[in-house]
Amino acid sequence: MTSFETSPQLNVWRALLALAVVFVMLATTGWTAVRHHRGTTALQASLTAWDSGRLHGHRLPDPDADPAGLTRFFASLTAQDRARLAHRYPLAVGNMNGAPVPLRYLANRIALGQARDAERERTHDSRLSPAGQRAAGRRMHRFGNLMTPGRQILAFDPSGSGRIAEVFGDLPRAQRISVVVPGVDTDLVTFRKTYRPYSAPYGMAQSLFAAERTAAPGTRTAVIAWADYTAPSGIGVDAATAMRAEEGAVRLNGLLRGLPGTSPVALFCHSYGSVLCGVAARALPGRVSDLAVAASPGMRAASASRLRTSANVWAMRDATDWIRDVPYLELGGLGHGADPVSPAFGARVVSAEAAQGHAGYFEPGTDSLVNLADIGVGAYGSVQCAHDNDGCRAGLPATTTAGRA
């Protein structure tokens, strides 16, 4: 007979009790209060100006309109008029799904220059503390680095901790598009790191882009480092709930609906990013062929089929990843549900050998990165399953038609 002290049921009830206690404590300290940004952000001001703007006497379209309609609007303009709008409303155009990709790059470069100049002034603002002036200096240098020639900034919002998305490769001409969705502690400052570079969105996407080119040299690929949502800060309440994921899912699906062309898209969602992708799954456009999660705390679904997506659902977790010890359940809004690598979940489980813990899945030379790249280019026959069999590849072609040039 199984002892009460070691029974699986007891462990589950302990986890449930712990979550309930945390929920009550946090609720009584006010964490459930709705938080609003005070004041008008630079992006909001740009969108407001766009709403009241005119071009040759005609009103401008709703910036939140269907991306296809906005694409038609910009296509109807001359190159001079498109550039005029980018200079007048840089943040609005730079974040507008449906605007031409090169125009968004231009608009965001202009917006970055304006944000850099504003931070430079703040470094000498006597109303700020010395620490505040130093923080302004760090943001000034970060904005300047993002303006380095050759960098392709697809989205940029300097308000708060900041949001950003950057492209590697030729996005309008890509035959395969990959989107990297990162987890907690992601913002403008942490978007790119010198120490452990492949644990940050920039390094993840850069590494995946290189690996995809190795996997399919004849395929035109593009990878988006997508940090264009307000991620949770640390392993706290925000990380234990779906609030940030729900907000981010709307933004992610907006991006996907506004991507140019019809090429297949693969999502690569790390840690809390997998929660976001799970929430977004039901509304994903049909061109999303693959949804792969790594180091997932759960996807807010009991099984892959409950995600209600036509995309192939893949999952991986390294044996040294601490995320395996989180309680895979959901109670009162806390927790993210079933374990995506469990057999019962029903995802295609692939090898993450040598992934180097929770943040090392995009490290060059790891099985995890090679597998992610093979998924990204549609080379399904090359994907290595987690259990040394072909179960994760069952029912899939060795190589999809769009996976090779």
Side-chain angles (χ1 to χ4, degrees), residues 120-141:
R120 180 183 290 114
E121 292 184 7
R122 283 166 49 81
T123 62
H124 304 293
D125 190 337
S126 60
R127 293 171 296 180
L128 295 178
S129 66
Q133 292 175 342
R134 289 193 295 272
R138 287 192 294 272
R139 286 170 62 89
M140 177 188 72
H141 289 299

Side-chain angles (χ1 to χ4, degrees), residues 146-158:
L146 289 168
M147 296 175 66
T148 302
R151 298 192 72 171
Q152 303 177 132
I153 307 304
L154 187 65
F156 168 64
D157 180 0

Side-chain angles (χ1 to χ4, degrees), residues 8 10-20 22 235 239-241 275 296-301 317 321-331 333-340:
L10 175 61
N11 292 332
V12 169
W13 280 110
R14 280 175 171 166
L16 288 170
L17 179 60
L19 283 173
V22 171
I235 309 300
T241 69
V275 183
S296 177
M299 301 180 71
R300 308 295 294 189
R317 185 174 66 214
D321 191 341
W322 59 261
I323 202 74
R324 66 185 301 174
D325 296 322
V326 305
Y328 282 97
L329 46 82
E330 187 273 331
L331 175 66
L334 290 175
H336 301 303
D339 182 355

Side-chain angles (χ1 to χ4, degrees), residues 214-278:
T214 298
T219 299
R220 293 191 302 273
T221 62
V223 179
I224 303 172
W226 189 79
D228 193 25
Y229 81 106
T230 303
S233 178
I235 309 300
V237 175
D238 278 355
T241 69
M243 182 178 68
R244 298 298 183 191
E246 290 167 353
E247 296 169 352
V250 174
R251 301 185 64 81
L252 177 61
N253 275 313
L255 165 84
L256 297 172
R257 288 191 293 271
L259 290 176
T262 58
S263 299
V265 178
L267 300 180
F268 297 98
C269 317
H270 177 256
S271 194
Y272 188 84
S274 68
V275 183
L276 190 160
C277 289

Side-chain angles (χ1 to χ4, degrees), residues 152-176:
Q152 303 177 132
I153 307 304
L154 187 65
F156 168 64
D157 180 0
S159 63
S161 57
R163 298 193 295 247
I164 189 163
E166 182 168 4
V167 175
F168 295 84
D170 188 343
L171 183 57
R173 297 179 65 246
Q175 295 169 296
R176 283 273 173 178

Side-chain angles (χ1 to χ4, degrees), residues 175-176 216 219 263-265 289-290 312 314 374-382 395-405:
Q175 295 169 296
R176 283 273 173 178
T219 299
S263 299
V265 178
S289 59
D290 298 276
N312 299 312
W314 308 81
D374 285 336
I375 293 168
V377 300
Y380 301 138
S382 300
L396 296 177
T399 304
T400 61
T401 303
R404 296 284 187 259

